[in-house]
Amino acid sequence: MLAFINDGVRVVRSQVSQLMQVRHATKKVVSSKTHMQDSPGKRLGAKKYENSEVKTGQILYRQRGTKWYPGFNVGIGKDHTLFALEPGFVKYYLDPFHPKRKFIGVALNREDKLPYPHFEPTPRRLGRALLPERDASKEAEYLPRKVQLLKPEVEQKLREREEKRNTKLSTFMEKLAEFEALKELSKENLQIAAQRLLKIDGYLRGGKSLKDSRFNATFYFAYDTKLAVKRGELAQDEADAQIDTYKKIALLVDKTVMFDAKYQLVKNLTEEELESLKATSLAELDQLIPDRNKPVSKKDHKQALEIIGRPCFSLKMQSGLEKHYLKPLIPIVGDVNPKDKHVVAIPTMNVETRKIETVYMRKNFV
C-alpha cells in the first residue's frame, strides 16, 4: 500500500506487486570444436601448365568464378572448372576480341599459338595419330561384331554391282559401234562415250530427265578433272585437253543416241520429231483399236504394244495407254455363258441394295 500527497490531499493507491523470475544458466559454456582449427583447402588453381600434354576430360584449372575462361577445345563445368575437350597441349593466352578476359585453351600441336587467326578455318583433330602405330592400326581395323558379320555379304554385293556395271559398259560399247556416226571413234573414245552413257543411265534411273542427266554427266566430269589438278594428279594442260575431248564426244553421242522409257539405247530424236511421232502413234492406235469394248486379237495386241513402247512415250504414258486401249477385261453385251473359259465372274457390292452381286466380264486378247 502506497500513499501520495497531491495538493494537500492524501491519496492512497494500491498496487499489486509483480513477481520477477530470472533464468540462470544450468550448463557450462564450452568453446567451439573448431576453435583454433581451419577447414581443409579446396585445392583451387592450375592443374596443368603451359605446353602440358593432356587427354580428353582432364582438369586444367579449378576456380570459384570465371577468373579464366574456356578457350579452344576447353569446356567449363557448373563449378567453373575448366577441362579439356580434345587431346593436345595446354595454352594460356589472351584474345584481342575479348581484351578483358583470360583464356585457357588446348592446341592440337605443341608449336601452335592461340588464339588461332580469326576468320580462318579452325584446326580440327581429324585423323591425328594419338596411339602407337601398332595400336592405331588395330583401332582403325576394328569393326563391331554386327558389322564384321555383315562384311562378307556387303563385299559380295559390291562385287556383283561392279560386275553388272562392267557388263552394262561392254553392252553400251557394242551398241554404240552399230551406229554409223560413231563408227569412226577410236576404242579409247568409244569407251569414254560408253562411260558417259553409264552415268546418264544412272541419273535417269534416279528420276532425272534426259536433259538434266546429260548436263550432270558433263558437269561432274569437268569437276572431277579440276579436283585432280588441285590434288596434283594432273597438269592443267592435260586437264583442259581431257575436258575438251570429253565435250566433243558428248556432243556427238547426244546427237546420235538417246534412252527410251525402258532405258534402251535408240536413235536420238529432237523435240519436234518426238511430238510428231507421238501424234502419229496415237492415230495408229485409234485405227488399230477403234472399239475398246470389243476383244482384241493377239496380233493386234502385239502390234499395239510395239506402238505404245516407242520412245515418244514415257513410262507413265505407256501405262495409261495400255489401260486405255488394252483393257484386260471388257463388259459382256447380251447373254452370258458362265461356263465359257473366257468369261470371268467378279463379285461386286451393289450400293443401292446393299448386297453382293456377280458381274461377268470377258477376257480380252482372245
Side-chain angles (χ1 to χ4, degrees):
M1 185 71 69
L2 298 176
F4 298 94
I5 298 176
N6 187 7
D7 296 335
V9 180
R10 190 178 182 87
V11 180
V12 178
R13 186 175 64 181
S14 62
Q15 184 177 8
V16 179
S17 62
Q18 296 179 355
L19 180 64
M20 303 296 293
Q21 182 178 1
V22 179
R23 182 181 177 184
H24 298 281
T26 58
K27 189 175 181 180
K28 184 179 179 180
V29 177
V30 182
S31 61
S32 172
K33 290 184 178 180
T34 59
H35 182 62
M36 295 300 292
Q37 294 181 7
D38 193 6
S39 59
K42 302 303 179 184
R43 277 60 174 174
L44 304 179
K47 306 303 174 185
K48 298 291 180 181
Y49 298 94
E50 183 77 10
N51 288 333
S52 298
E53 188 170 4
V54 293
K55 298 179 181 179
T56 303
Q58 284 190 336
I59 295 175
L60 309 180
Y61 202 95
R62 285 194 179 276
Q63 57 185 345
R64 293 292 177 264
T66 50
K67 298 179 182 178
W68 290 89
Y69 285 82
F72 289 97
N73 301 324
V74 172
I76 185 169
K78 63 181 182 181
D79 60 346
H80 310 101
T81 298
L82 302 182
F83 56 91
L85 296 176
E86 293 286 348
F89 301 90
V90 180
K91 302 287 181 179
Y92 290 75
Y93 64 96
L94 300 174
D95 192 338
F97 277 70
H98 305 281
K100 295 184 178 181
R101 293 184 178 184
K102 300 179 293 183
F103 291 89
I104 302 177
V106 173
L108 303 185
N109 301 307
R110 188 183 296 273
E111 59 274 7
D112 289 353
K113 293 183 179 181
L114 296 183
Y116 292 117
H118 285 268
F119 310 116
E120 291 186 7
T122 305
R124 295 284 187 264
R125 187 184 67 83
L126 300 175
R128 180 172 180 265
L130 302 176
L131 301 171
E133 185 176 354
R134 183 186 64 184
D135 297 338
S137 60
K138 184 178 179 181
E139 181 179 345
E141 295 172 358
Y142 169 76
L143 291 175
R145 182 176 178 273
K146 185 176 180 180
V147 177
Q148 197 169 6
L149 293 175
L150 289 174
K151 186 177 179 180
E153 182 181 352
V154 172
E155 290 178 346
Q156 178 64 24
K157 289 185 177 180
L158 288 175
R159 285 193 296 268
E160 292 176 358
R161 182 180 179 183
E162 190 64 24
E163 290 176 0
K164 288 181 180 179
R165 288 174 62 88
N166 293 333
T167 303
K168 189 179 290 187
L169 188 65
S170 60
T171 304
F172 285 153
M173 290 184 67
E174 293 175 0
K175 290 185 177 181
L176 285 174
E178 298 175 359
F179 291 89
E180 191 66 29
L182 302 176
K183 287 184 177 180
E184 297 180 357
L185 290 178
S186 62
K187 187 176 181 180
E188 182 180 355
N189 292 341
L190 198 64
Q191 187 172 6
I192 294 175
Q195 289 175 351
R196 173 179 175 78
L197 291 178
L198 190 64
K199 284 282 187 182
I200 294 174
D201 178 73
Y203 289 129
L204 287 174
R205 293 178 186 273
K208 293 187 179 297
S209 64
L210 181 62
K211 183 179 179 181
D212 292 342
S213 301
R214 287 172 172 173
F215 172 80
N216 288 340
T218 305
F219 175 81
Y220 284 110
F221 178 83
Y223 186 78
D224 293 340
T225 307
K226 291 176 183 178
L227 286 180
V229 173
K230 289 185 178 181
R231 291 193 296 264
E233 300 173 0
L234 276 178
Q236 186 64 44
D237 298 339
E238 295 178 0
D240 294 339
Q242 289 185 10
I243 293 174
D244 292 339
T245 304
Y246 184 87
K247 288 183 177 180
K248 291 178 182 178
I249 296 174
L251 184 61
L252 179 61
V253 171
D254 293 346
K255 286 183 178 180
T256 307
V257 296
M258 62 177 288
F259 285 93
D260 62 2
K262 295 183 179 178
Y263 312 111
Q264 300 296 323
L265 279 181
V266 295
K267 181 183 177 182
N268 184 58
L269 299 173
T270 61
E271 293 184 1
E272 294 79 8
E273 292 174 342
L274 289 173
E275 290 297 329
S276 176
L277 181 61
K278 184 185 295 184
T280 305
S281 301
L282 292 175
E284 291 179 8
L285 285 173
D286 290 334
Q287 185 178 0
L288 184 65
I289 309 175
D291 191 355
R292 296 186 297 274
N293 292 327
K294 290 185 178 181
V296 180
S297 64
K298 292 183 179 180
K299 181 180 178 181
D300 293 343
H301 178 260
K302 183 178 180 181
Q303 188 176 354
L305 287 178
E306 291 178 357
I307 297 173
I308 293 173
R310 289 175 181 174
C312 57
F313 300 117
S314 63
L315 281 177
K316 185 176 181 180
M317 294 180 66
Q318 290 180 8
S319 177
L321 290 174
E322 287 184 16
K323 292 178 181 179
H324 185 71
Y325 287 98
L326 303 175
K327 297 179 180 178
L329 298 174
I330 56 177
I332 298 177
V333 179
D335 298 334
V336 179
N337 183 10
K339 296 182 179 181
D340 189 353
K341 64 178 181 180
H342 298 296
V343 174
V344 179
I346 302 175
T348 58
M349 179 70 180
N350 191 329
V351 180
E352 296 179 357
T353 61
R354 307 296 297 173
K355 293 181 179 180
I356 301 295
E357 297 181 355
T358 303
V359 177
Y360 294 96
M361 304 283 285
R362 183 179 296 277
K363 293 182 181 179
N364 207 344
F365 324 131
V366 295

